[in-house]
Amino acid sequence: MDVAMAAARSLAREISVAAGKPSLRGIDHLALVTDDMRMTLDFYVRVLGMPIVHGLRTPSRPAGASHTHGIGAPPHSNIPHYFLDMGGDSLLAFFEYPKGIATVDRDAIGAMQHVSFACGPSRYHEILERLKANGVSINAGPLLVIPPAIHSFYFFDPNGIRLEITSDLDGDEEDLQVIRSCSMDETELRAELDTISSDRAWIDEMLAAMTRDKIGGRDTALRSR
């Protein structure tokens, strides 16, 4: 084990999950890139029904000045930056980059493969029909992704970003309980972790940090999809 990995493991223990409760509440905002803000706002506001929350232009900076937000911030000044309400008290944001910027491979390491939005059963069917009515191709689904009732379908936004709508079709319209609906028990999770590591101490540490909930009277933990 190299020094960096050992340090990361040490730090992880110091800030490890206590009793299966996350340290963070969730997403503040997810920032994506477009080269056509009007087209993007049309799609997310008019088709997916996300209200606009805030709009601005990123600040210009004097020549040679360092970027306020550091490495990883947009390399362009004075570009549109808009925020949309994607539900759950979280924001979806877009930067409008100049035309001609190269697209990226969504399946590359470090890339964002897709974004999945949660909704209740009625809204799931409503959005599916709204997308079809607006000529948006559904490229996978509707399909059962986690038995017995978690269903989803996939499509692309006008920028080529892969999106998913997910719903527990046996669930409540408003109280979505996403974590609970995506859960598995400790035995199942241990079997999955066994496929990626033979380090028993590490597996035990991961299982100790499970998100635990009760479904049908059994302990459960997060299942990825």
Side-chain angles (χ1 to χ4, degrees):
M1 182 182 298
D2 63 28
V3 174
M5 185 177 295
R9 285 287 295 272
S10 177
L11 178 60
R13 291 191 183 95
E14 293 177 10
I15 60 171
S16 60
V17 176
K21 295 187 180 298
S23 301
L24 303 175
R25 196 208 67 176
I27 292 175
D28 179 285
H29 67 281
L30 176 65
L32 307 177
V33 174
T34 180
D35 64 1
D36 189 329
M37 188 64 77
R38 176 171 174 168
M39 172 191 72
T40 298
L41 292 178
D42 269 346
F43 181 78
Y44 283 89
V45 175
R46 299 173 65 188
V47 180
L48 292 186
M50 296 185 186
I52 296 180
V53 176
H54 193 84
L56 56 86
R57 297 189 79 88
T58 60
S60 299
R61 59 186 187 276
S66 62
H67 199 294
T68 304
H69 295 288
I71 296 173
H76 310 287
S77 300
N78 195 33
I79 57 173
H81 187 26
Y82 278 76
F83 295 81
L84 304 166
D85 181 352
M86 65 174 169
D89 196 33
S90 293
L91 297 163
L92 181 66
F94 280 92
F95 292 102
E96 184 181 73
Y97 277 21
K99 299 285 187 183
I101 302 296
T103 57
V104 298
D105 178 2
R106 73 179 55 82
D107 292 311
I109 300 300
M112 186 190 71
Q113 212 279 335
H114 70 278
V115 179
S116 182
F117 299 110
C119 65
S122 295
R123 187 58 57 85
Y124 175 87
H125 295 295
E126 175 189 327
I127 293 175
L128 178 61
E129 294 309 311
R130 187 185 299 172
L131 288 166
K132 291 178 178 178
N134 281 274
V136 178
S137 297
I138 307 302
N139 58 32
L143 48 86
L144 176 66
V145 289
I146 300 177
I150 309 301
H151 288 72
S152 78
F153 57 86
Y154 293 84
F155 56 99
F156 291 96
D157 88 343
N159 303 291
I161 298 169
R162 192 174 196 229
L163 304 177
E164 179 186 19
I165 304 294
T166 304
S167 180
D168 180 350
L169 296 188
D170 288 343
D172 191 84
E173 293 292 345
E174 300 296 334
D175 184 14
L176 303 185
Q177 300 189 36
V178 172
I179 303 301
R180 179 176 295 186
S181 71
C182 191
S183 62
M184 70 195 311
D185 65 27
E186 183 173 327
T187 301
E188 293 173 309
L189 183 54
R190 182 179 291 278
E192 291 294 334
L193 290 170
D194 277 336
T195 69
I196 63 172
S197 177
S198 59
D199 184 340
R200 312 310 301 172
W202 178 81
I203 290 175
D204 288 342
E205 188 177 345
M206 293 300 102
L207 292 173
M210 292 169 68
T211 294
R212 298 184 180 274
D213 208 337
K214 292 283 188 180
I215 302 180
R218 67 173 188 171
D219 278 349
T220 58
L222 185 65
R223 170 181 289 169
S224 65
R225 63 177 179 269

